Amino acid sequence: MTAEDNPIPSNFIQTIIQNDLDSGKHTTVHTRFPPEPNGYLHIGHAKSICLNFGMARRFNGKCNLRFDDTNPDKEEVEYMHAIEADVKWLGYEWDELHFASDYFNHLYMYAVKLITTGKAYVDSLSAEEIREYRGTLKAPGKDSPYRNRSVEENLGLFQRMKEGEFDDGAHVLRAKINMAAPNMNMRDPTLYRIKRTHHHRTGAEWVIYPMYDFTHCLSDSIEGITHSLCTLEFEDHRALYDWVLDEAGAPCHPQQIEFARLELEYTITSKRKLHQLIDEGHVSGWDDPRMTTISGIRRRGYTPASIRDFCERIGVTKKDSSIEMAALENCVREDLNEHALRVMGVLHPLKVTIENYPDDQSEEMQAQNHPQNPALGTRSITFTKTLYIERDDFMEDAPKKFFRLSVGREVRLRYAYYITCTEVVKNEQGEVIELICSYDPETRGGSSPDGRKVKGTIHWVSAEHAVDAQVNAYDRLFTHPNPGSTDNYIEHLNPDSLIVLKNCKLEPALANADANTSYQFERTGYFVLDKDSCSDALIFNRTVTLRDTWGKIGGRSD
Ligand code: ATP
Ligand code: MG
């Protein structure tokens, strides 16, 4: 297993593991990350991945990747491959790769053992009757009339279920525990059901499939897992986890420990709901950069280190809480601030003509790739008579404190000259379409020999040399902080979550941008090449703005 650094600081789970090692209960640690291959992983899964792999790493133990593939209706090979790729991208390598479906024979034998010891029975009530007999939180359930079938009869029926003699739903195998148990999960839970569904690994071999609560604990035990970390909703299932292991005589007894799910404001972390967003066309797919799937945020330009850092900072607790989106953004912003190459890109171009600059002249200016890290070197950028600057960097009736361009005001062009706006050109609608400026040849490189200071420095590109690009700017996908809690989260989709800027002008080197390299467009934000980009139609995704804009209503949308 590899990860650049250990992502998880001390937490209550680490304390439990440390105590188990100190007391000699365990001599080594073995965890697992057990996704169901029924969709792509999301940011919530990243928390579980960092925790499971991080604990194993911290204690020099092992972590398995196990596909919990016992529900063939919704599972697909595509999802398995995507999950493997996402785990690796996050920086982790599993010690063993397993599939719960590899244990189908084992699990069947454990079920037979439970029947033999009188701890499981075949029930022939309908699904609806089973629900009725189950009782409620306030009222105990009642025993099924089939509960006292003999061991022989149960063994015979269970074998015939396996051999495909019965229709789907005709019988189920249930644990024989207690129909009056206060914990509803202990009221004779179903262990197996008949289901004629093709399984992506075992094909048509099985027509009975084990239930999650039966499969999960036994899979953990078969693999020698020491600490089975799961989210809080499984707390009420722990009694059953322990019951199955004890009654089935499993090889070892892993300890289930629950922690709080990660919920992120303004997003959804449920595969079912993410499926719906895709199926209904609200997003372009699992890797839409607005999705908080791992593949979505990767395409958006998030780095693995920033996600690990985020998981470290949010910590591991037993209390559910919703994390602000700004917390995730700050992690990527910090990482990119340190590593991203600086370039100049104009998102809303406004033409500038330097009237006193010779028509056919051009100059190479030296620009730093990362002013705080000179080791990243310099590059040359071409200065010419006609440039583009950001439309926002000009204002016609500018207030006193506006330190950018306006008629009669002087600014510094980054790495180039001081320029002063002398005149504006407007179209018939009265919109400013061009600025006429003059430059001071004495200010080459950005300072004036007479000590004259200007307050504003703006970015620019040479009109002749710039490359055209489309830039996709993203805002939050939902307008509601907790869309998953509302009656209809689709209603809370943000209609302006994607803003496409078609006529951006970028430094020419970006024509050869590397898909795995993040760039800071100076003064604008962090960007990465999109996977749909090609040499004659460049597309960049804005990963994040330079500063936190979540505090402002509606965020920044340019
Ligand atoms: P979903 O509800 O999105 O389908 P799930 O819990 O059913 O999620 P699994 O594939 O079963 O998804 O999850 C694999 C592991 O990831 C489990 O151990 C689960 O507890 C953990 N996990 C899933 N969602 C989160 C989350 N939001 N925060 C932390 N861990 C999570
Ligand atoms: Mg699940």
Side-chain angles (χ1 to χ4, degrees), residues 359-430:
D359 284 356
D360 48 2
Q361 184 171 317
S362 71
E363 285 174 83
E364 293 304 313
M365 303 298 189
Q366 287 309 301
Q368 289 176 291
N369 292 330
H370 196 305
Q372 286 81 47
N373 183 1
L376 289 175
T378 59
R379 66 191 188 284
S380 68
I381 43 178
T382 314
F383 186 83
T384 52
K385 185 180 180 77
T386 311
L387 313 169
Y388 289 113
I389 64 163
E390 209 69 66
R391 186 162 280 279
D392 267 3
D393 283 335
F394 171 81
M395 207 177 199
E396 228 183 338
D397 299 312
K400 217 166 172 224
K401 290 226 153 128
F402 184 80
F403 298 123
R404 292 165 280 164
L405 270 185
S406 190
V407 175
R409 295 197 191 177
E410 189 171 43
V411 294
R412 177 190 294 109
L413 291 180
R414 180 84 159 143
Y415 299 121
Y417 291 104
Y418 287 9
I419 61 167
T420 304
C421 180
T422 52
E423 196 185 331
V424 298
V425 181
K426 295 185 177 177
N427 64 11
E428 283 172 4
Q429 286 79 49

Side-chain angles (χ1 to χ4, degrees), residues 5 12 29 39 94 185 192 197 311-312 320 364 400 457 475 515:
D5 44 34
F12 79 96
V29 176
W94 45 90
N185 293 302
Y192 267 88
T197 311
C311 291
E312 177 175 338
D320 277 320
E364 293 304 313
K400 217 166 172 224
T457 301
D475 199 351

Side-chain angles (χ1 to χ4, degrees), residues 33-36 42 44-45 48 229 231 259 261-262 269-271:
F33 172 62
E36 194 183 344
H42 51 62
H45 293 113
S48 177
L229 314 180
T231 34
F259 62 95
R261 286 178 84 85
L262 163 61
T269 44
S270 144
K271 279 181 271 180

